[in-house]
Each structure stands twice: as C-alpha cells, then as structure tokens.
Amino acid sequence: MTTRFLSGISFYSFLPFFSLYLINEKNLEESDVAIIILTFLFISRSFSLFTHFIIDFINYKKTLFFSYLISSSFIISIYFTSSFYILLLSSAFIGAGFSIANVGTSLFIAENSHHSQRVKNFSILNVIVNISSAVGGAAGEWFYHGSYSSVIFLPSAIMCVAALYSLTLTDKKHTSPMQDQPTEATTRFLAWGLFLCYSSIPFFMLGLVFRNLAYLFELHYQGARNYISVAYLFALNASMIILLQIKVTQFIDKQKKSHQAIIYKCSLILIAILLLFLNFNALVSLYLLIILFTFSELIWSPYNNSLAIEKCPFTHKKLSLSICLFFWGLAESLGAYIGIIANDVQIHIYIPITLFLLLISLFAAEYSISLRRSDENHPISRM
C-alpha cells in the first residue's frame, strides 16, 4: 500500500505536466508530444497483460523493485536529452514501469487475501489512489511553477524511494491452482467472459464522463465558464471516496452474499443510466451527476478487482485480473473517445439505454449459467 501511494504521487506529479515540459523545456512540436504521450499511455495499458508472467518468473518483490527503478531511471534520463526518438523510447519504458508496478500491487492484494478481505483491501487502495492523486497533482503543479525540471526530478526521486521500500515486501500466496472438470471449466470461462463485459461498462462511463468533464462542461454549461467549478467536481469525487469508501465497504460486507451481488449490479445499472436523467447544462445537475457517479464507484471499484479473481477460470488467478485490467483500460479509452465525438442525443439517450439493455442481457445470461451450474452440481444430475 505504501509503495502504491508513492507511485500514485509520482504518477500524478509527472503525467499532467509531462507534455508541458516537453513543449516548454525540450521545444518539441505538439504533434511529436502527442505521439510520446500516446506511446506512454498505450504501453501503460498493454503491459498489464504481461505483469503476471514477470511476477511468476521473478516474484513480487523483484518485480516491484525493478519496475519502480526502471521508471525512476528513465524519468531522470529525460532531463539529459532532447532527441524525439530517445524521449519516445524513455516514455515507453516509463509507461511499462508504472504499469507493472501498479498492476503488480493489485495482483499482490488480490492473491494474498480472500474475497471479503480483498474487497476491503481494494477499498483502502481506492482511497490511497485518490489521496495520492490529490497530493501528486498539487505537488506537481507547485514544483512545475517553480522550475520545469522539477517535473522530472520530483517523480524520479519518489519512484526511487518506492523501489527501496518495495524491498521490505514479503512474498506469500494464499490461492491455489484450480482443477475443474472440462464442463465446469467451460462454464466458468463463459461466466468470467460475461463478468468481463459488464464490469467494463463503468470504466467506459468513467472515460466518457470524467476524462471529458472539462470539455463537456465548457461545451454545454449555460452559465459562466468557470473552470474552478470543474476543479470542485473532481475534488468532490475524491473527497467522497476518501471519506466514505471504507464505511460503504464495511456496510456492504455485513450483508448476505446474494444481497452484495444485487447491490454491486445495481451500482453498474446506476452508472449506466445516469446520463439519461442528468446533463452538463447546469451546475446543480453536474454536482448531482458526480455525487451519484461516486456513490456507484464506491461499490463497483473494489468489487470489480476482487471479483476478477473470484470468477477466474484460469489455473493462475493473476492472469484473470491482468486481462481484466487491460480491457478495463480499453473500455475507459473508448469512453473518452466516444465522449468527444458523440452528440447530445447519443450521450443522453442512445448510450445509456444501450448500456442498460446490455447490462440486463449480460445479467440474464449469467443467471442462466448459474442455474445450469447448480443443476450440474445437483446429486440427481450425476446419476
């Protein structure tokens, strides 16, 4: 958790100001900067698929240590060059380092606890990520205004500290390989595939709403275009998560397992249909949108990560979460893209209705599979 907090501070003090640093300090063209940032983001997404292989090969401690060290080293290397191709290569290694470290932390949490404990731990992780993003963003902006070079030295130093701290990690595992019958394995895979689909929908909405919030605010808000209000919206989201995440998780944990599943799926439905009733034309509507969005996030965010392990159809459970993280990232990117090109009718009618119907279909298919599994496991069905 400590290394993830440090990594979060480093990431959010680096990425928001990286493009400005390349333009103002390295004098790169905006088109070149766009390619560098795109490479960074693509690598940081795609390397989630390979993290579990690296962990299996060299264990968690070494994986985290080298990923933090690689990020720190290549961030500092940016200071010494203005070559586009070297900067492009460095951004790729930085993205890989951040990706492996962050995914590795999630995998460690997932594999070293059971479902109930995983949900609690991922709730704590969600709080830590939000605190680190606030601290990192504030620190990065303060250092950026003081000196462009601080955008490089600060995150590099923090990642170096994270690398050293990761050496205190103790490797241990609680999960064991699964050995299912062929029919059971196929059923589990189908159920996992359905989960992958419906668990990607909140990330699609996260990209559509949050990654385009300033753009949509400026485009639709009928009052004065006050970007401080947008900052308040982000602050409201982070504050609610920091203050309420643990309490909400504890409340849900006290409920029956079947009730937990219903609450989780209701949170997905809520986030899918929000834009059907709320828009970006007024601050009141915007604040209500963020409040309801965050309430939904308080539920699905920790449960998605834990259920990716719980529903794993593979022998190695780390593979399930790695694949889910990759597709969740793609869904978020797609949502951010759709949020820019879609018109009002599509955003407020077609998209929410489509997502709602898709969720209902996926839930119905999952329920059908669960009934089939129950029949197969019934003693009479085996006679």
Side-chain angles (χ1 to χ4, degrees), residues 39-59:
T39 300
F40 173 90
L41 294 174
F42 175 76
I43 295 295
S44 66
R45 295 295 190 191
S46 60
F47 256 75
S48 62
L49 289 173
F50 308 107
T51 302
H52 70 284
F53 293 115
I54 299 173
I55 292 172
D56 285 340
F57 185 66
I58 62 174
N59 73 40

Side-chain angles (χ1 to χ4, degrees), residues 251-356:
F251 171 78
I252 297 175
D253 188 54
K254 295 177 181 178
Q255 312 304 313
K256 295 180 180 179
K257 193 170 183 179
S258 59
H259 293 173
Q260 292 181 23
I262 293 173
I263 293 172
Y264 165 70
K265 290 178 180 179
C266 285
S267 73
L268 300 184
I269 293 175
L270 173 62
I271 201 171
I273 65 173
L274 273 179
L275 292 180
L276 190 62
F277 307 102
L278 300 171
N279 55 45
F280 302 91
N281 296 332
L283 277 180
V284 174
S285 177
L286 270 171
Y287 275 108
L288 186 57
L289 172 65
I290 298 304
I291 289 172
L292 294 176
F293 188 102
T294 306
F295 269 121
S296 172
E297 183 183 358
L298 290 170
I299 300 169
W300 62 257
S301 180
Y303 272 84
N304 265 6
N305 288 282
S306 184
L307 289 174
I309 297 295
E310 191 76 6
K311 295 178 178 292
C312 174
F314 308 111
T315 301
H316 299 287
K317 293 196 172 186
K318 293 190 295 292
L319 179 60
S320 175
L321 184 54
S322 295
I323 295 174
C324 286
L325 288 170
F326 174 72
F327 280 99
W328 293 341
L330 291 182
E332 184 179 342
S333 300
L334 177 62
Y337 174 73
I338 295 297
I340 293 177
I341 66 171
N343 57 40
D344 283 355
V345 175
Q346 292 169 331
I347 288 179
H348 295 291
I349 297 179
Y350 292 156
I351 291 177
I353 291 177
T354 300
L355 293 180
F356 174 75

Side-chain angles (χ1 to χ4, degrees), residues 131-170:
I131 295 175
S132 65
S133 66
V135 173
E141 183 175 9
W142 189 80
F143 277 93
Y144 172 77
H145 289 304
S147 170
Y148 288 142
S149 299
S150 298
V151 175
I152 300 302
F153 292 124
L154 175 65
S156 178
I158 294 174
M159 288 300 272
C160 185
V161 174
L164 295 175
Y165 189 87
S166 67
L167 295 175
T168 64
L169 181 68
T170 301

